Amino acid sequence: MTKRNLRDAQAEVSQLEMELQRKDKLLRGLQERKRRMDAKVQLVPYNKLMPFIKSIPVGSMYSVYETLCEGLDEEYKVHGCYRNLAELLIKLAEFYLSGCSGHTLVWFEEEYKFYVSLGGDGAPFGKHDTACAWLVGFLNIGRRILSSNENFLLFGANCSENCIPVQRYIKMLVSDVQHLEQQTFKCTYITSESQTCTVDIKFHISEFPNDLKMVAFLCGELTNSATYFCSFANVSSKDATEISGQFGKEKDKKWHPWNYSERKVLSDPKIHIDPLHLKNNACALAHRLLLQEVLLIFQLPSAIKSFLQVPSTSSFHKYIDAMRTKCNVRRLANKIIRWFNENRDSKFDYRYTGKDSRCFLQNFMFLIAAMEPFLKDKTKALFTFHVLAYLCLTLRDCVSVFSRIDVTDSQLDDLEKNCRTYFVLHYLYFDHHPTACTLGNIVSEHARDMKVKYGKRLGLNSMEGRESKHISISRYSKNTYFKARWEQIFQHEYVSLVWLGEKGYNFEKPASECCSRYMYIPKRATEDSKFCNCGCEKQVQSASC
């Protein structure tokens, strides 16, 4: 066979293959069309869909404007909704017991006793749109409490988290909680085998996951910038610098938990530190110290007024490049550039997100490495960067443990040592800071207390799922009328998460314990021999970089 004949044959084969692919695609399209016709799939017009959705019973809802704003001037009245706590919890218990959620329930002390997580925070509806939401969830579902779909709206209003209607709601909530925990309720549910069961259930409000600002508000305290800055211990800004001091319930400890039984407030020893906000605050603090040293090395010339004028070979430019290309924190890098261009005389401030913290802890050594060429031997700057590297490494080891739900006792011992190391490092080489004091003295004790109560760790009290829920709430609010939006949000949430779940939809598989989004130690540090434990490259034969 000649070369021409061979080419012709190959071309013919290629055409036949293309024709077969076209016919196969056409056949699949016809089969899909037939399947849809058999299933009688039809699009429902909006004017028919909405009346049906509104006809779905979502339970009792009460107006914030009508019940919590009495006697207030019109400018202080707010619009919103809230549910009856007992009614909502009974409905959720029925939902979980029926198996519709797909989750296995864990009973901590006695069967059919639900441990409730209850907390409130500001809901981000936009830069100039203030909102507040309170959520409930069951700790009995384990790590799934970190999912936004397992935290349910109890209260929502167009107001700040400490306004008068919210204060009135919290006062009412205290009474509801006290009554709830003293009662036993009948719960009837249908199992997956279509059997009807009736059981006695109890509820225990066991955790209040809130950020430090809300915790201080619930405790009836001043903000966490006051002399007694910690809502968890009687530590003040005057004695917080005692390195030998320790926190605990024992008499020989320097600091002890506040005695909330003597104070008529919502909170009591049920409140534990929230790992999410503490982690974010600690990462923001570490980065602020790092940025401060970078700017000292840069020695900004007075002629430079914009980042565009910064030489690409300078330390500051290299630092920003490392943030963008290696650390995956572009949003933070852009914020620094904006601050540098517009308001560099003020203190840099940035609210870290969970993603920012994770990326920073995994890649902070890239920032240190970017500065090494600009550091001279035997200088204070070099020593400071070494201290910062060790501080961030210790912080990473702390966060990787206290953010988990399941941790061994040996890891708890390591957590206590690392927390103390972090606290001492921060105080000796930088200064006292409430975040460093809280992480160094409170975290390990709270982690042990959670272990005793639930057999779980501090990650069970994380606000991660609640912060994700706020994003979902923001999506629910799109295209809603401002004054009536919370009614639609409550309805949207119930239909999406409960009603559809009861019909067999929206089944969500549990996340893996080793899911990468929960990891703070980079894989390269544990799996690649070319990288050191800190995350920097090293010689394969060397133990460290």
Side-chain angles (χ1 to χ4, degrees):
M1 181 180 289
T2 63
K3 291 184 178 180
R4 172 175 288 185
N5 292 338
L6 180 61
R7 286 196 298 269
D8 292 341
Q10 290 175 341
E12 187 175 352
V13 170
S14 178
Q15 290 179 355
L16 288 173
E17 288 178 347
M18 292 176 62
E19 183 67 13
L20 285 173
Q21 290 176 359
R22 187 184 67 82
K23 290 183 177 181
D24 183 64
K25 184 177 180 180
L26 180 62
L27 179 62
R28 288 199 303 269
L30 291 172
Q31 290 174 342
E32 178 65 14
R33 184 177 178 182
K34 182 178 182 300
R35 185 187 67 79
R36 290 184 178 182
M37 291 179 66
D38 291 342
K40 296 182 180 180
V41 175
Q42 295 181 355
L43 294 176
V44 181
Y46 183 82
N47 62 341
K48 293 183 179 180
L49 175 64
M50 290 312 298
F52 173 75
I53 291 178
K54 291 180 179 180
S55 68
I56 298 174
V58 298
S60 303
M61 284 197 298
Y62 304 92
S63 170
V64 173
Y65 185 89
E66 295 176 359
T67 61
L68 298 175
C69 297
E70 184 180 355
L72 297 179
D73 293 338
E74 193 64 30
E75 61 179 312
Y76 296 112
K77 293 183 179 181
V78 297
H79 294 272
C81 296
Y82 63 92
R83 296 179 183 273
N84 177 271
L85 178 61
E87 180 184 335
L88 175 60
L89 292 181
I90 292 172
K91 178 60 185 177
L92 293 178
E94 175 188 329
F95 175 69
Y96 283 109
L97 287 171
S98 66
C100 295
S101 66
H103 306 316
T104 302
L105 295 174
V106 178
W107 308 113
F108 296 113
E109 287 184 352
E110 59 181 286
E111 195 173 16
Y112 301 119
K113 184 175 183 179
F114 289 89
Y115 282 67
V116 181
S117 173
L118 171 65
D121 197 9
F125 278 4
K127 187 175 181 180
H128 303 292
D129 193 354
T130 304
C132 175
W134 278 69
L135 306 170
V136 294
F138 288 149
L139 298 180
N140 304 75
I141 62 175
R143 86 156 24 256
R144 294 310 302 163
I145 193 67
L146 302 182
S147 168
S148 64
N149 290 347
E150 310 303 333
N151 290 273
F152 299 87
L153 273 169
L154 177 65
F155 171 94
N158 303 325
C159 61
S160 64
E161 55 204 68
N162 57 357
C163 67
I164 294 177
V166 173
Q167 294 179 28
R168 291 178 176 178
Y169 174 73
I170 292 174
K171 185 177 180 180
M172 181 181 68
L173 192 61
V174 172
S175 176
D176 290 345
V177 167
Q178 293 172 347
H179 177 74
L180 179 80
E181 294 189 325
Q182 297 172 358
Q183 303 296 314
T184 300
F185 301 91
K186 293 287 184 182
C187 178
T188 301
Y189 63 95
I190 300 176
T191 66
S192 56
E193 292 81 17
S194 300
Q195 295 180 347
T196 301
C197 297
T198 301
V199 295
D200 292 332
I201 60 174
K202 296 179 181 179
F203 299 105
H204 174 56
I205 310 299
S206 54
E207 293 297 329
F208 291 93
N210 293 280
D211 60 22
L212 296 179
K213 179 182 176 182
M214 178 60 82
V215 168
F217 172 63
L218 294 176
C219 295
E221 299 172 343
L222 297 174
T223 63
N224 48 19
S225 61
T227 300
Y228 286 90
F229 57 86
C230 183
S231 299
F232 308 104
N234 58 350
V235 56
S236 70
S237 55
K238 295 180 180 179
D239 61 7
T241 56
E242 293 189 21
I243 297 178
S244 60
Q246 290 184 318
F247 167 76
K249 298 178 182 178
E250 298 82 3
K251 292 184 179 180
D252 61 336
K253 301 294 185 182
K254 171 69 177 177
W255 303 297
H256 304 91
W258 290 108
N259 187 3
Y260 285 108
S261 61
E262 299 176 356
R263 303 160 67 176
K264 296 181 180 180
V265 293
L266 176 63
S267 56
D268 61 13
K270 297 172 184 176
I271 288 188
H272 292 97
I273 189 74
D274 162 43
L276 177 66
H277 286 90
L278 179 64
K279 169 193 66 179
N280 292 345
N281 293 341
C283 289
L285 176 60
H287 174 259
R288 196 157 56 239
L289 295 172
L290 190 57
L291 178 63
Q292 180 180 330
E293 294 300 320
V294 171
L295 293 175
L296 287 176
I297 295 174
F298 179 42
Q299 295 180 350
L300 175 67
S302 58
I304 294 180
K305 303 297 182 182
S306 169
F307 183 76
L308 293 175
Q309 298 174 301
V310 176
S312 59
T313 56
S314 67
S315 59
F316 185 43
H317 203 286
K318 294 290 184 183
Y319 183 80
I320 297 297
D321 282 346
M323 294 182 71
R324 286 172 165 172
T325 59
K326 294 187 176 182
C327 298
N328 196 27
V329 284
R330 288 180 173 271
R331 183 167 171 261
L332 174 57
N334 293 336
K335 180 74 174 181
I336 294 175
I337 293 173
R338 193 178 306 116
W339 165 81
F340 183 83
N341 292 339
E342 300 174 1
N343 202 16
R344 75 181 73 164
D345 293 332
S346 64
K347 184 179 179 181
F348 176 74
D349 187 34
Y350 175 78
R351 184 174 181 178
Y352 262 58
T353 64
K355 179 183 177 182
D356 293 328
S357 297
R358 185 171 62 255
C359 291
F360 175 76
L361 292 175
Q362 289 180 345
N363 304 301
F364 67 88
M365 281 305 297
F366 289 133
L367 301 177
I368 302 290
M371 295 297 100
E372 281 186 336
F374 303 94
L375 302 173
K376 297 180 181 180
D377 292 339
K378 299 180 180 180
T379 59
K380 181 182 178 181
L382 178 64
F383 177 76
T384 303
F385 269 91
H386 285 173
V387 173
L388 279 169
Y390 188 42
L391 182 78
C392 292
L393 184 63
T394 306
L395 174 61
R396 186 196 72 182
D397 292 340
C398 291
V399 172
S400 67
V401 175
F402 74 62
S403 295
R404 299 181 190 177
I405 290 181
D406 297 306
V407 185
T408 63
D409 290 335
S410 62
Q411 288 174 325
L412 271 183
D413 294 336
D414 292 339
L415 173 64
E416 184 175 1
K417 295 176 184 177
N418 288 329
C419 286
R420 291 297 300 173
T421 301
Y422 172 83
F423 171 65
V424 172
L425 271 175
H426 201 285
Y427 172 66
L428 290 180
Y429 295 104
F430 301 102
D431 199 359
H432 158 70
H433 195 279
T435 297
C437 183
T438 302
L439 195 153
N441 296 293
I442 307 296
V443 166
S444 59
E445 190 68 22
H446 278 202
R448 293 188 185 280
D449 191 48
M450 292 282 286
K451 164 68 174 175
V452 172
K453 287 187 175 181
Y454 313 112
K456 302 290 183 181
R457 302 302 190 268
L458 205 54
L460 193 66
N461 193 49
S462 176
M463 288 186 65
E464 186 169 336
R466 293 167 178 266
E467 292 293 328
S468 299
K469 182 69 173 190
H470 291 159
I471 298 175
S472 300
I473 293 173
S474 179
R475 293 196 189 107
Y476 291 159
S477 69
K478 296 292 177 64
N479 302 319
T480 58
Y481 179 54
F482 181 79
K483 291 185 178 180
R485 69 179 175 187
W486 282 104
E487 296 176 13
Q488 298 177 47
I489 290 172
F490 271 80
Q491 188 173 48
H492 190 160
E493 182 210 43
Y494 180 84
V495 172
S496 300
L497 302 184
V498 180
W499 188 81
L500 284 175
E502 291 175 335
K503 307 301 180 185
Y505 299 98
N506 284 357
F507 181 80
E508 189 176 343
K509 294 183 179 180
S512 170
E513 181 73 25
C514 299
C515 182
S516 60
R517 61 178 173 162
Y518 299 114
M519 296 176 64
Y520 297 95
I521 300 177
K523 286 186 177 181
R524 65 179 184 274
T526 57
E527 299 178 0
D528 194 338
S529 59
K530 295 180 181 179
F531 288 90
C532 175
N533 177 54
C534 68
C536 273
E537 290 189 50
K538 69 175 183 66
Q539 297 294 329
V540 177
Q541 300 83 0
S542 303
S544 60
C545 59

